Amino acid sequence: MAASLQPPGSPPRGPRPPGAVEADLATRVLDPFWRGLVGYRVLAWGYAAVLVTLNHPYYRSPGGAVLVLALMAVWTAVTSVGYLRPIWAPWALWSLRALRALRARRAPGALRQGRLALLDVVVTLVAVAATRLVDTPDRIAHGAPVLTTVWSAGPVIAVALAYGVLSGLAGALLVQAAVLVVRGRFGAAEATDLLLMVATALAVGYAATVLRRSSDRLRQAIELRAALAERERLARSIHDGVLQVLAQVRRRGAELGGPAAELGSLAGEQEVALRTLIVTGPPEQRPLGQEEVTARLAALATPRVTVSTPATPVLLPTHTATELVAAVEAALANVRVHVGRDAPAWVLLEDLGEQVVVSVRDDGPGIPAGRVAAAEAEGRLGVSRSIQGRFESVGGTARCESGPGLGCEWTFEIPVRRAPAGRRR
């Protein structure tokens, strides 16, 4: 057997889970922009080097100009490595969290690039200000270029890529403000530079934002596809093995009777629960703060409880959905206690647009008139708190229709205020 050359502590090699490759590609959608920024920065430094060479005899401090140019070269190399390989850059160790992430081989590269971009702005501002120390006031007054020239646009692009339009615009205004302070005037050339830098920040920031959102949607679609594929695989395995065994135990227990019948009944409940689980699709994309109640109610189905829900997801605020499911569970518990463990019950969920209606019905002996009010007066608050109180707390209503020999039907009505489209998670 060949010896493994894998470094100690590294993740094991082998087949990657479904969608892993596509998800990695989705998270690296801005990598071409960062590579383009590095190429631009190198070319811009070369242009600055040509200007320093041509103007070398006219500087107040020629040696200082060469020193600033050399420091710009070093910083260009440092940022190039950081923008292209943010996980392994030494400044990824700025925090304990980053150190832990580095050890786990999953350092958040985008965060490192953003921090490096902010530091890049500071270094560029210092390089721009160094023009006052290196060049003569007379040359600066007559429009001589600052030492950084177009090299100073690099951090503006980096900030726009890392943080978006507004941050890129702020970076452009900050860098150009420093250039204006150094030059001490605002003319046509300065106005043109300002306009070009602002336009660059807006264009790059907007493009990065759009691509990042598209990447998030792509990643969500990939995750849903992978979840669906895994669910289908598990469903086949469960259907071919566990479900058939449970069905056989249920049938055999019913034939034998006695204690075996109880075991068969429990096996039947688990069979229904598993069938409900494998036929329920993966979680849908939903607005922030919303919960899908169809699957949660479907999970309450048993051989004695029939649950009917719409084919489309029904979304409610998270707290409202939790209270609704808890109230339905309380109503079903009342059926088991007051009607019998083997009593059938039916749950119906309806989405009427302006409101969501849930009905819980049984065919028991019913509740005598005034019995609920009498139980509340006696201090037995199960119905008032577990059912009615829950819906009052979320702005809904709960009413019970019953009578001797008519069974009992709880109707829960919840007004719905739809979340704006587009706020998807």
Side-chain angles (χ1 to χ4, degrees), residues 54-356:
L54 295 177
N55 294 285
H56 186 268
Y58 311 109
Y59 287 128
R60 173 197 296 179
S61 174
V66 173
L67 176 62
V68 172
L69 185 64
L71 293 177
M72 288 169 54
V74 172
W75 184 246
T76 299
V78 170
T79 54
S80 297
V81 175
Y83 289 148
L84 293 180
R85 304 190 64 187
I87 292 179
W88 302 108
W91 41 85
L93 304 179
W94 285 359
S95 65
L96 179 60
R97 176 186 174 190
L99 177 59
R100 291 172 179 171
L102 180 63
R103 289 174 178 172
R105 301 299 192 267
R106 55 179 179 84
L111 180 61
R112 302 297 163 265
Q113 289 167 327
R115 289 179 174 177
L116 181 59
L118 295 178
L119 184 58
D120 198 357
V121 171
V122 175
V123 172
T124 300
L125 292 177
V126 173
V128 170
T131 303
R132 279 282 184 179
L133 302 176
V134 172
D135 213 342
T136 63
D138 186 60
R139 278 176 42 82
I140 295 175
H142 284 83
V146 295
L147 290 176
T148 57
T149 64
V150 293
W151 187 84
S152 59
V156 175
I157 299 175
V159 170
L161 285 175
Y163 297 108
V165 175
L166 295 180
S167 298
L169 180 60
L173 295 177
L174 184 61
V175 171
Q176 281 303 112
V179 173
L180 292 177
V181 169
V182 169
R183 288 183 173 177
R185 64 190 183 91
F186 184 77
E190 288 75 18
T192 301
D193 292 343
L194 175 61
L195 179 61
L196 290 176
M197 191 168 290
V198 167
T200 300
L202 293 177
V204 173
Y206 178 74
T209 301
V210 171
L211 284 175
R212 195 174 286 113
R213 290 175 180 172
S214 299
S215 172
D216 290 340
R217 295 190 183 100
L218 175 61
R219 184 162 49 250
Q220 290 174 357
I222 291 170
E223 291 172 354
L224 287 176
R225 188 184 71 177
L228 181 58
E230 182 66 11
R231 182 178 292 272
E232 290 295 329
R233 185 187 68 81
L234 291 176
R236 289 191 296 269
S237 301
I238 292 174
H239 181 272
D240 295 339
V242 180
L243 285 179
Q244 293 185 7
V245 172
L246 290 176
Q248 184 176 358
V249 171
R250 175 177 56 81
R251 290 193 299 268
R252 187 59 177 161
E255 293 173 358
L256 294 176
E262 183 178 355
L263 293 178
S265 176
L266 294 175
E269 292 181 1
Q270 295 304 311
E271 179 190 0
V272 172
L274 276 177
R275 289 188 185 277
T276 302
L277 177 63
I278 64 177
V279 300
T280 303
E284 299 285 342
Q285 300 180 37
R286 57 184 183 268
L288 294 174
Q290 300 282 299
E291 193 71 27
E292 206 282 306
V293 297
T294 301
R296 296 185 61 179
L297 289 179
L300 301 179
T302 68
R304 293 174 296 275
V305 177
T306 302
V307 180
S308 301
T309 61
T312 56
V314 177
L315 299 176
L316 290 174
T318 302
H319 175 65
T320 302
T322 301
E323 295 297 309
L324 170 62
V325 175
V328 172
E329 291 175 338
L332 294 175
N334 283 340
V335 174
R336 291 192 297 270
V337 172
H338 299 291
V339 182
R341 291 185 56 86
D342 296 330
W346 295 265
V347 179
L348 174 63
L349 171 64
E350 299 176 278
D351 186 356
L352 304 181
E354 297 295 328
Q355 64 179 357
V356 170

